[in-house]
Amino acid sequence: MVSWLLGTSIMLIHLLGVVSAIMALMSSRTSQGAVAWIISLLTFPYIALPAYWFFGRPRFYGYVMARGERDSVLRRVLARYQESSLPYLVPFSNSDTQAVEQLAMMPLTRGNSAELLIDGDATFNSLFNGIDEAEHYLLLQFFIVRDDALGRRLQQRLLGAVRRGVRVYFLYDEIGSRKLNEGYLRELAAEGVEVSPFRSSRGFKHRFQLNFRNHRKVAVVDGKRGWLGGFNVGVEYLGQDPRHGPWRDTHLVLEGPSVLGLQEAFWEDWHWATGEVTSLNWQAESHPNIDQNVVIVPSGPADKQDTASLLIQQLIHSATHRLWVTSPYFVPDQGVQDALRLAAMRGIDVRVMIPERPDHLLVFLSAFAFLADMLKAGVKIYRYQPGFLHQKVILIDNDAATVGTVNLDNRSFRLNFEITAYIPDTIFAAEVHTMLVKDFNDCRRITIDEIQQRPLWKKVVSRAAYLMSPVQ
């Protein structure tokens, strides 16, 4: 009897492995990911089967269904928001901008102010001042929140806002902030802050969606001012962690109609997390003195297409003489790799800035598997020296730049909820250019000999890490 049960269980596991392999074949977003899962599921089903059901799902189906459910409830509010933005729409955008608008499913608006915030002190001084000036409501969303000196400063600012009658909504990713203790959250909730984790696995039927994470960092004050970029909440982002050393990051503060795009992204996430329909200000207002064009591009695993990857490819193809990219994690999919190589081959100054110090070892090792091909095509690769590089910035010619949360890797392209501000404005692009020139001066350039002369075992390890990148 025991042997029969054992044999039946083994057969069932292998059968489920075959069924899951077929699902991976039909639904994986990349051929590389499909092959990795199929081989694992057919060869090692005892290990791969639970891994696939927890980490291999290609889309965030729960969020997709929630979007459908919300249409009848929330669509009227969004219609009012879109109506209020009509006077600020940019009517004669070029084909490159139109492509970005199509990906974003949000309009390019004029009448905005976009201010770069370079490194931690500038970012959190700006954010904390904005919190202190809030009159009606605050929306805050971070991937990582820590109960340390910076986290406590944020907490006290939020409690002060609640005490003066401001509604505060605080959303955090339950995986990124898994070390955040309950006491921190209870203190906020006890004073009246509305607190919620994003809950990628919300509900029994979505319990296998643990690999999806909300990587957005967004703050909105009264629907009039908004922040986004690379910063989470922790003292390491101020350069106070000796393991990382000085922390190089970039954030952005917006004013104008584009802030409502940030607000809409938060609103959808909050609705998924809580089921609540929150009353907010949807009246667009232009900045009184500055007139910059901005479009907000949310992306994530609930999208019908690979928004983040397509956005990056569009930016690369639109460049005519310069494309500078910074990313802490650089393992782009084949489409982005090919686009970068082709851009360099047609004479574009393609530069990629990545960290010298590893943060996630597998991602760090993966890059060495394809850097030689990049370098041979003329792509210039730089490693940032003073500390850890975490900014996610792209400069296109002298005409446009992006700041956001998207890393150039599979997780950001297909597994994380991300958000990017695309700013086709020459003045802003000039400011980004000045910033990046200084950063490149703090880098060393990688040579082809450095890659090719690595020991064989390092090449093998890098290739294996790269093959695992679609399922990381």
Side-chain angles (χ1 to χ4, degrees), residues 276 281 352:
E276 297 173 359
N281 166 38
V352 177

Side-chain angles (χ1 to χ4, degrees), residues 102-144:
Q102 290 290 318
L103 288 170
M105 298 180 67
M106 288 190 183
L108 179 74
T109 59
R110 61 175 180 83
N112 297 285
S113 164
E115 179 187 349
L116 278 175
L117 299 172
I118 301 174
D119 290 332
D121 288 337
T123 295
F124 287 102
N125 286 339
S126 173
L127 177 59
F128 289 164
N129 287 338
I131 292 172
D132 292 344
E133 294 168 3
E135 297 179 353
H136 305 291
Y137 62 82
L138 291 167
L139 315 176
L140 289 104
Q141 173 179 18
F142 291 98
F143 176 61
I144 296 173

Side-chain angles (χ1 to χ4, degrees), residues 418-438:
E418 307 280 7
I419 196 160
T420 302
Y422 172 70
I423 305 168
D425 180 85
T426 55
I427 294 175
F428 183 78
E431 293 171 356
V432 171
H433 178 266
T434 300
M435 176 185 75
L436 294 184
V437 165
K438 181 180 183 303

Side-chain angles (χ1 to χ4, degrees), residues 5 27 137 144 151 158 176 188 209 211 241 273 290 343-344 348 350 460:
L5 287 174
S27 62
Y137 62 82
I144 296 173
L158 299 184
L188 289 172
Q209 297 189 144
N211 207 27
D241 184 339
I290 302 174
I348 307 299
V350 180
V460 171

Side-chain angles (χ1 to χ4, degrees), residues 20-35:
S20 298
I22 294 172
M23 292 177 62
L25 173 66
M26 300 303 294
S27 62
S28 291
R29 294 192 178 189
T30 67
S31 57
Q32 189 179 349
V35 169

Side-chain angles (χ1 to χ4, degrees), residues 306-370:
D306 295 334
T307 303
S309 176
L310 291 173
L311 171 65
I312 302 301
Q313 292 181 59
Q314 166 58 30
L315 300 179
I316 297 168
H317 292 311
S318 68
T320 60
H321 65 274
R322 175 189 293 129
L323 184 88
W324 292 358
V325 178
T326 73
S327 178
Y329 313 117
F330 184 65
V331 194
D333 59 24
Q334 198 62 52
V336 171
Q337 288 185 42
D338 292 344
L340 287 169
R341 287 200 297 266
L342 285 170
M345 288 175 183
R346 68 177 191 265
I348 307 299
D349 176 19
V350 180
R351 304 186 190 184
V352 177
M353 187 189 309
I354 55 179
E356 179 72 76
R357 306 179 186 184
D359 183 31
H360 294 288
L361 185 59
L362 278 178
V363 177
F364 176 79
L365 292 171
S366 297
F368 288 97
F370 59 86

